[in-house]
Structure formats: structure tokens, C-alpha cells
Amino acid sequence: MYHPYLYMIKIKILLALNYRYEVLFSLISKLLLLCASVFFWKAAYHNLNTVSAVNENQMIVYSVFSIILSSLFSMSVEGNIRSRVRKGNIAVDYIKPIEIFKMYFCEDLGNSVTAFLQTVIPVLAVSALFIVKPLPASPLNFLLFLISACFSYGILWLMSAMFGLLYFWFIDIGPLGSIKDYIILILSGSFIPVWLYPQQIQSVLKFLPFIYTYQHPLSIYIGKISLTQALYGMLIQVIWIFAFLLLFSFLKNKVEKNILVQGG
């Protein structure tokens, strides 16, 4: 018999596997993005050996794994909350014999497992066969990358969950959700690494969580940073996770009290 949360992961995987055309279009879009990224960086590195101590090969590997992480980091928790609040189905989730946010988290884990099977493996295969072998700087770098990527997932999921809580107070927050996604895209280094930004901007971003979602694990993977810098950045990731957990718990408790009062 499955544990209820493991069962939720299984169901989400099975449901996702049924949407074959959606999977195909998603894979095609990722491959097109991969090709565009490769052409962009090859053009940017024309007649240049290194930029910010990173060579062309490292930068292309960075792009490949950035696309991979973006597939694995597809969070549906914010959209689930928005949809359920608008339709009035959120009350049904609260009477289920499981904690709803753990349920949402398991659903997102199911999405990530599905993305690994449907998108990550094909992207890695295409990259290895036709573009560049996306190998890590060392086995230790790969291990640290995996741990750091898990921390990144936690940061992004908590950010999405906290943003989703806003729908309990404001049924429609307009384009704020899209603005949040664009801010993460620009400031996380998922496409253009922050180390190419002006020094003043880099200094500010060190105190924000964004670079610890994409750039830090990717920098570890390609060997851009030292072991000490990698471990220090991972410590910062853990601090952000605990800070967001505290804030999320506070906001969730306020939301659930309001639901209890209004619902009787």
C-alpha cells in the first residue's frame, strides 16, 4: 500500500504521461531554446577565449543545464492555489486527510520526475550527440551540484507557494505572477549569468535569493567557483530556505485562521 504522499507523486506522473502532444510540443520548445542558446553563446564568444574566466565550452554546458533545471523546476503550486481559490475548491482540499501544501509539493515532485523522463533525457542526448558533451568539472562538482540544485528547488517552491497564498486575500493579482517569473528569469542567471552584469548589480544580488536558484548550482557544475565558494553558497541557500519556511509558515497560519473564521 502506498503512502498517501507517494501515491500523489505516482498519480501526477501517470496523468502527465497521458498528455502526449503537450509533451511533444514542450520537448520541441526546449530543443529550439537549446539551439538558440548555443548559437547565441557561440556568437558572443567569437574571437574570445574566455569571458569572466569561463570559456565557450563551459558556457554552452551552463546553458544546457540551465534548460534542464528550468524543466525540473516547473512549479504548479501557485497555479493550483489560484485555480482552487477561484473555483471555490480550496475548501475541499482542507477536508482531505492530508496536509494540502504537502500534497501540492508532492504533485510538483511528480511533475519533476515526469520532466526528467520526457525532457531532460532527450535534451542531454541531443546535446551529447550534436552540440557538446555536458560533463561536470569533476565527480565532486557533480555531487555538490545535485545537492545545490535540490536547495534551489526548495527556494523556488517556497517562493511560488508564498506567492500563491496571496490568492487567499486577493482573488486576482493581475500580472504580478508573470512579473515575478520574469524577475527570477532575469536575476537568477538562468539565461545570462549574473557574473556578466555590472559589478554594482552583482553586489546587490548577492544579498537576494535569485542567484542561488540557478546560477549557483550551474556555477558549481561547470567549475566556475571553488569548493569553498560552492560550500559557502550552499550555506546561503540553506539560510534562505529556513527564512522562507518561517515566512511561509507564518503566512499559511494567518490564511488558515481566516478560512476557519469565515467558514465557521
Side-chain angles (χ1 to χ4, degrees):
M1 183 175 180
Y2 285 105
H3 188 282
Y5 296 114
L6 293 177
Y7 183 75
M8 289 300 304
I9 296 175
K10 175 188 174 183
I11 291 299
K12 197 65 177 179
I13 294 172
L14 293 176
L15 288 173
L17 292 174
N18 287 329
Y19 296 96
R20 297 178 183 177
Y21 290 107
E22 182 179 338
V23 171
L24 179 61
F25 289 135
S26 176
L27 177 57
I28 291 174
S29 67
K30 294 296 182 184
L31 292 177
L32 289 174
L33 179 60
L34 175 62
C35 293
S37 298
V38 170
F39 291 143
F40 174 83
W41 288 116
K42 282 186 174 295
Y45 271 85
H46 184 63
N47 293 329
L48 294 174
N49 293 323
T50 61
V51 177
S52 297
V54 174
N55 60 39
E56 179 184 312
N57 188 76
Q58 287 176 302
M59 196 64 250
I60 292 176
V61 172
Y62 183 104
S63 296
V64 171
F65 267 84
S66 178
I67 292 170
I68 287 173
L69 289 185
S70 69
S71 300
L72 296 175
F73 291 171
S74 178
M75 315 291 178
S76 63
V77 56
E78 181 184 333
N80 284 340
I81 296 174
R82 179 179 65 248
S83 176
R84 284 172 163 91
V85 170
R86 286 180 173 179
K87 295 178 180 179
N89 297 333
I90 195 71
V92 177
D93 290 339
Y94 270 97
I95 63 175
K96 292 178 180 179
I98 55 177
E99 209 279 325
I100 66 166
F101 284 98
K102 290 182 180 179
M103 178 183 74
Y104 295 154
F105 183 71
C106 289
E107 288 180 349
D108 281 337
L109 286 180
N111 288 334
S112 296
V113 173
T114 305
F116 179 82
L117 298 174
Q118 297 177 338
T119 304
V120 172
I121 294 177
V123 167
L124 283 174
V126 170
S127 175
L129 290 173
F130 303 107
I131 301 173
V132 65
K133 292 182 179 180
L135 298 175
S138 72
L140 178 59
N141 283 71
F142 181 67
L143 177 60
L144 293 178
F145 162 78
L146 291 178
I147 298 172
S148 181
C150 290
F151 293 158
S152 299
Y153 186 94
I155 293 173
L156 285 169
W157 193 89
L158 287 168
M159 290 172 67
S160 295
M162 287 188 292
F163 215 85
L165 290 175
L166 294 177
Y167 290 98
F168 284 93
W169 287 293
F170 312 101
I171 302 300
D172 188 359
I173 59 176
L176 287 181
S178 298
I179 292 173
K180 180 260 298 180
D181 293 336
Y182 286 127
I183 289 175
I184 293 175
L185 177 66
I186 295 171
L187 301 183
S188 66
S190 62
F191 181 67
I192 299 179
V194 174
W195 66 65
L196 298 178
Y197 289 13
Q199 189 61 46
Q200 297 87 341
I201 296 178
Q202 293 185 47
S203 300
V204 173
L205 291 179
K206 289 180 181 179
F207 298 98
L208 298 175
F210 303 111
I211 62 173
Y212 301 102
T213 57
Y214 279 88
Q215 179 169 292
H216 188 70
L218 293 172
S219 297
I220 294 174
Y221 189 87
I222 66 172
K224 169 71 169 64
I225 56 178
S226 66
L227 175 61
T228 301
Q229 291 172 319
L231 294 175
Y232 176 77
M234 292 166 67
L235 175 61
I236 300 298
Q237 287 181 301
V238 172
I239 292 173
W240 276 114
I241 289 174
F242 276 107
F244 283 153
L245 271 175
L246 290 174
L247 182 56
F248 172 72
S249 298
F250 172 76
L251 294 174
K252 184 170 76 76
N253 289 337
K254 287 186 70 68
V255 163
E256 291 175 344
K257 286 180 181 178
N258 289 335
I259 292 175
L260 180 63
V261 170
Q262 294 177 14

